[in-house]
Amino acid sequence: MDKTAIRNLLDQEIVKTEKKIEEYEEMSSPVSPDDAIGRVSRMDAINNKSVTEAALRQSKDKLSKLRHALHRVDEDDFGLCKRCGKAIPVMRVALMPQSPFCVNCAR
């Protein structure tokens, strides 16, 4: 497994995730009761805010895991499943670099 390529991939994912977090934070601003948008529209805005806040929490969690994975790239056990100890396929590491488990153990 090419550690430089994995490190670059993690860096790219971190940048994308940080950008998503910024967007979600902007979208999750409070819904002001002073806005004359109507009762149904206000309820819709509040519902959308809840969905955005959930996405924001997930993105922050992913960012934390990505940063942890970036710090672990040079460790000997990086790319090995935490549960079974087998090598995690390179494509899985490329798609989900923050996951410490192989596909079978992640289920």
Side-chain angles (χ1 to χ4, degrees):
M1 184 176 330
D2 182 14
K3 303 262 183 176
T4 303
I6 296 296
R7 195 174 291 105
N8 289 338
L9 180 71
L10 288 169
D11 284 332
Q12 290 171 7
E13 273 303 305
I14 286 171
V15 169
K16 280 195 311 189
T17 305
E18 287 173 338
K19 185 173 176 168
K20 278 185 183 179
I21 288 172
E22 286 178 21
E23 292 170 4
Y24 289 144
E25 285 175 340
E26 287 177 22
M27 292 171 31
S28 67
S29 60
V31 178
S32 173
D34 297 335
D35 292 342
I37 58 175
R39 184 172 157 258
V40 173
S41 296
R42 187 178 337 283
M43 289 172 57
D44 203 26
I46 290 169
N47 185 45
N48 289 341
K49 183 179 180 300
S50 296
V51 170
T52 302
E53 287 173 343
L56 176 62
R57 282 190 302 276
Q58 289 176 340
S59 293
K60 285 182 176 181
D61 183 52
K62 179 179 180 181
L63 180 61
S64 174
K65 290 177 181 175
L66 285 167
R67 287 181 175 156
H68 180 71
L70 183 62
H71 291 305
R72 291 195 59 243
V73 168
D74 292 321
E75 294 178 11
D76 292 336
D77 65 344
F78 183 80
L80 299 178
C81 178
K82 289 275 190 194
R83 190 164 291 140
C84 70
K86 294 180 183 175
I88 299 172
V90 175
M91 287 307 296
R92 175 152 174 90
V93 173
L95 292 172
M96 296 189 66
Q98 73 275 16
S99 178
F101 304 109
C102 67
V103 176
N104 290 331
C105 291
R107 290 184 189 163

